Amino acid sequence: MIVEHALLQVIPHRTDEFEAAFANAESIISSMPGFVNLTLSRGIEQPSTYLLLVEWERLEDHTEGFRQSDAYREWKSVLHHFCEPFPVVSHFDPIEDA
């Protein structure tokens, strides 16, 4: 399993719109092959910062399967205009014994 990590800097006065759009967009990503789970958390100290964690079966499920799909273009059109700047995405390999 791979964990995708993205810090989303949402335009402060658009957080309510972002959360509503995300609730609708969740079905886009969750329908992708290799998708396992996701969590979206809102910052306490910085309420316009969100932490998105997405679990994928394999790295390629995200980088090739999702990112190169029509579903990603739809996801992008629904959500990316809320973020400034564009989020940096990193991938992690969980340590099972930790």
Side-chain angles (χ1 to χ4, degrees):
M1 181 180 64
I2 297 299
V3 178
E4 169 195 355
H5 166 281
L7 275 179
L8 311 175
Q9 304 294 329
V10 174
I11 299 166
H13 66 278
R14 302 200 65 196
T15 56
D16 290 342
E17 290 175 82
F18 168 75
E19 289 181 21
F22 191 91
N24 292 325
E26 189 172 352
S27 64
I28 297 169
I29 196 169
S30 66
S31 69
M32 294 303 299
F35 171 87
V36 176
N37 190 38
L38 72 72
T39 59
L40 180 68
S41 302
R42 188 173 187 173
I44 294 171
E45 292 82 8
Q46 297 175 318
S48 62
T49 299
Y50 292 79
L51 172 62
L52 174 62
L53 299 174
V54 183
E55 296 175 6
W56 298 95
E57 290 177 12
R58 303 172 311 125
L59 177 63
E60 296 79 14
D61 292 328
H62 178 237
T63 59
E64 296 171 18
F66 182 55
R67 281 286 183 92
Q68 295 178 18
S69 70
D70 290 337
Y72 177 71
R73 286 183 275 290
E74 183 181 1
W75 168 272
K76 186 176 174 179
S77 71
V78 170
L79 294 175
H80 284 196
H81 61 281
F82 291 109
C83 298
E84 196 174 288
F86 186 80
V88 174
V89 174
S90 302
H91 299 93
F92 295 83
D93 190 4
I95 299 171
E96 300 299 327
D97 294 334

